[in-house]
């Protein structure tokens, strides 16, 4: 199946690469990707001592570390800004397949 392809301003083809996942093992929760995404795709989560994702601002939770998650994947426009600012290359992107 073919990928969805758009034309750039100069007419050259562009295939958007949509955010599919973030590797929580390599993500350090720095927030760089969150800051560059103006589509509301990402959300910061805390990881408790049991490895569960929890509200990072809940004072009742014992947070071990913070990670970024894909909260609204349908909002992604495929610009790849998040991957360009990630120092750990945590994100996985893929093109969308065109409907037949």
């Amino acid at each position: 199946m073919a990928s969805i392809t758009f034309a750039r301003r100069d007419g050259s083809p562009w295939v958007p690469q949509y955010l599919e996942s973030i590797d929580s093992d390599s993500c350090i929760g720095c927030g760089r990707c969150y800051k560059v995404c103006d589509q509301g795709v990402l959300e910061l989560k805390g990881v408790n001592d049991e490895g569960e994702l929890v509200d990072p601002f809940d004072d009742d939770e014992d947070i071990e570390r913070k990670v970024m998650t894909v909260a609204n994947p349908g909002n992604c426009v495929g610009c790849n800004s998040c991957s360009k600012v990630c120092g750990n290359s945590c994100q996985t992107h893929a093109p969308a397949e065109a409907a037949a």
Side-chain angles (χ1 to χ4, degrees):
M1 200 173 245
S3 299
I4 294 175
T5 304
F6 295 97
R8 290 188 175 110
R9 190 176 199 175
D10 64 0
S12 62
W14 175 62
V15 178
Q17 300 290 316
Y18 298 98
L19 180 61
E20 299 228 317
S21 64
I22 298 175
D23 180 7
S24 62
D25 291 332
S26 58
C27 178
I28 60 171
C30 67
R32 290 180 188 167
C33 55
Y34 182 84
K35 290 176 184 175
V36 299
C37 180
D38 63 354
Q39 301 300 316
V41 176
L42 305 167
E43 181 178 31
L44 187 66
K45 289 286 189 176
V47 179
N48 65 16
D49 55 354
E50 296 170 7
E52 300 169 326
L53 293 177
V54 296
D55 181 354
F57 307 107
D58 184 352
D59 293 334
D60 294 334
E61 286 287 348
D62 189 22
I63 305 296
E64 296 283 317
R65 61 191 188 97
K66 295 178 183 176
V67 296
M68 201 58 63
T69 61
V70 183
N72 301 298
N75 289 357
C76 182
V77 296
C79 69
N80 270 335
S81 292
C82 57
S83 67
K84 291 175 184 163
V85 298
C86 182
N88 288 0
S89 301
C90 300
Q91 296 98 355
T92 301
H93 292 79
E97 293 187 6

